[in-house]
Amino acid sequence: MRLRLLLLALGTFAVGTDSMVTAGILGLVAHDLDISVPAAGQMVTVFALSYAVLAPVLATAAARWPRRRVLLTALTVFTLANALSALAPNYPVLLATRVLAAAGAALYTPTANAVATSLVPPERRGRALATVLGGMTVATALGVPLGTYLGRTDWRLTMWLVVALGAAAFLGLALLLRGLPAPTAAPDLRTRLAPLRNRRVLEAAATTLVFFLAINVVYIYLGAAVSSATGGDPGRLSLIMLVSGVASVAGNWLGGRAVDRLGTRAVLLSGGGAAAAAFLALPWLSGTMPGALLYAAVSPLAAWAVAVALPHRLASIDPPNAPLLISLNSSALYLGIAAAGGVGSLALTVLGARWLPLASTALTLAVVALSAVTTRRSAEGSDEGDDPRAATLKGTSADGATAPQNGAAPQGSDAAVQGAGRR
């Protein structure tokens, strides 16, 4: 079981490296293709927006496919698209390949998360999601620095690294990932999209969007925010980024266990509060390297714990439609990333580099407030899906497959996942 989850995580590692490493090679792309750096930066925007739009659409289109076929098809598209990116002769072709790569990623990641929840009993779903999502966090700690290093003279080498990672994930899953639970009979499109009319689903997706907007406003412009500490030294900035990546991995691990033990509401509120405090302190911490490193250790630790709770919350609202809901979470995540570039640029202009983190502070506090109101209302309300017994009565697991009748009730609501009895 653990091997299967690690193989799924290898795929998210490839996706995470592809989506985040681009920022480190923009200058080389611009020089090679004779475009401006802002134009090269549209690689990130095009990928993020394409992912956001395509994730729920592809989840619906592939609903009747066996999960293994979906995963392998997604990795095939993703890997071939990155090979085309590495070979792109000009800027328009490069942007087209980023759309194709986003399509593969948008099909893979939500499916991998949904499959992960179907491989474990309900009480271990948070840890299963953390393992698969861990591929994304390890990408920040290992894949991005490695890709940036390889592409320091030729950005195309970075893309070939992503191709190699995608191919490795494909081979591992093709050889070792068999016997997955079959999806239940897929409903028609209208029925499948019905959860999008659920207020709780939209509230949860909005929480994801604003949260990833908040953390990426600082992450994208971290070099500017900690410039007083680094003095423009790339080595010092790399050290801060390395600490941030390691803390992300630790936060992902901690978040999975905290969700299983405490429930999503506790993680959203405590993790969000800690992240807001870290952003608030950064203008003062950024004056010295020890302060900047302290921020890099605390902020990602809290943020990635919250990142595990967010898809868990959505999947728990309506377990039979978990693949669609997790794909919606992915869409909201990438919309937040896409918006963060513009919002961060505006905040940088208005507030300046030192006070830029205050924008993230305000946005994160908004997330905490939204989470506090909506999860409490879900726990006390009578909306369909609030009863944690609902999924058991329907006999379904988190990916829509028939659940084993072992007496363990799947988590039926974000507020009652495991923690309802603790409040």
Side-chain angles (χ1 to χ4, degrees), residues 14-40:
V15 170
T17 301
D18 188 32
S19 61
M20 291 180 283
V21 77
T22 310
I25 58 174
L26 293 182
L28 290 170
V29 173
H31 181 267
D32 184 38
L33 300 181
D34 195 25
I35 57 175
S36 67
V37 172

Side-chain angles (χ1 to χ4, degrees), residues 15-23 26 40-56 58 78 94-107 109-110 136 209 212-213 216 220 327-342:
V15 170
T17 301
D18 188 32
S19 61
M20 291 180 283
V21 77
T22 310
L26 293 182
Q42 296 309 305
M43 293 169 59
V44 179
T45 303
V46 166
F47 185 96
L49 288 177
S50 298
Y51 187 115
V53 171
L54 292 173
L58 294 176
F78 173 80
L94 179 60
L95 290 185
T97 65
R98 303 319 297 152
V99 173
L100 190 60
L107 185 58
T109 305
M136 299 286 288
L209 191 158
F212 275 88
L213 168 61
N216 279 283
I220 292 173
S327 71
L328 181 62
N329 183 79
S330 295
S331 292
L333 184 160
Y334 275 92
L335 281 175
I337 294 174

Side-chain angles (χ1 to χ4, degrees), residues 56-412:
V57 174
L58 294 176
T60 301
R64 298 179 184 273
W65 294 11
R67 300 296 94 187
R68 183 171 179 271
R69 183 195 300 174
V70 175
L71 293 170
L72 295 180
T73 300
L75 285 174
T76 299
V77 172
F78 173 80
T79 303
L80 290 177
N82 277 284
L84 293 173
S85 293
L87 298 170
N90 54 53
Y91 181 60
V93 171
L94 179 60
L95 290 185
T97 65
R98 303 319 297 152
V99 173
L100 190 60
L107 185 58
Y108 178 83
T109 305
T111 305
N113 284 328
V115 168
T117 63
S118 75
L119 295 176
V120 297
E123 66 273 10
R124 295 184 63 87
R125 285 180 186 155
R127 274 167 281 188
L129 281 170
T131 299
V132 177
L133 188 61
M136 299 286 288
T137 60
V138 173
T140 67
L142 179 60
V144 172
L146 177 60
T148 302
Y149 177 79
L150 287 177
R152 68 192 186 281
T153 57
D154 185 354
W155 66 272
R156 297 177 191 273
L157 294 177
T158 299
M159 308 312 300
W160 285 119
L161 170 65
V162 177
V163 171
L165 293 173
F170 177 90
L171 289 175
L173 293 177
L175 293 174
L176 300 174
L177 192 69
R178 299 181 182 276
L180 293 179
T184 56
D188 59 30
L189 181 61
R190 180 179 179 182
T191 302
R192 191 164 183 82
L193 294 179
L196 300 182
R197 298 192 295 269
N198 185 328
R199 183 198 69 221
R200 293 176 57 216
V201 169
L202 296 179
E203 289 171 345
T207 303
T208 297
L209 191 158
V210 178
F211 183 72
F212 275 88
L213 168 61
I215 64 176
N216 279 283
V217 162
V218 170
Y219 183 79
I220 292 173
Y221 297 101
L222 185 59
V226 298
S227 58
S228 296
T230 64
D233 183 353
R236 290 190 171 195
L237 180 58
S238 295
L239 177 59
I240 293 172
M241 297 297 289
L242 176 62
V243 172
S244 177
V246 172
S248 299
V249 176
N252 176 81
W253 180 88
L254 177 65
R257 281 148 184 79
V259 165
D260 285 339
R261 291 177 62 87
L262 305 175
T264 55
R265 187 172 197 269
V267 175
L268 289 172
L269 298 186
S270 60
F279 292 137
L280 180 62
L282 183 55
W284 291 272
L285 294 176
S286 63
T288 65
M289 273 299 290
L293 291 172
L294 177 61
Y295 164 81
V298 173
S299 178
L301 185 74
W304 279 97
V306 174
V308 175
L310 292 168
H312 190 278
R313 175 189 179 186
L314 262 169
S316 299
I317 293 174
D318 187 3
N321 285 292
L324 173 65
L325 297 180
I326 292 177
S327 71
L328 181 62
N329 183 79
S330 295
S331 292
L333 184 160
Y334 275 92
L335 281 175
I337 294 174
V343 173
S345 178
L346 177 62
L348 193 63
T349 301
V350 175
L351 301 175
R354 180 181 180 183
W355 302 107
L356 167 70
L358 296 184
S360 290
T361 304
L363 289 167
T364 307
L365 289 175
V367 168
V368 172
L370 180 62
S371 299
V373 171
T374 57
T375 56
R376 174 60 68 183
R377 186 166 63 219
S378 296
E380 296 175 348
S382 58
D383 291 353
E384 183 180 356
D386 284 342
D387 187 348
R389 297 168 298 177
T392 303
L393 296 175
K394 292 178 180 178
T396 53
S397 69
D399 74 334
T402 301
Q405 301 303 310
N406 57 4
Q411 299 99 323

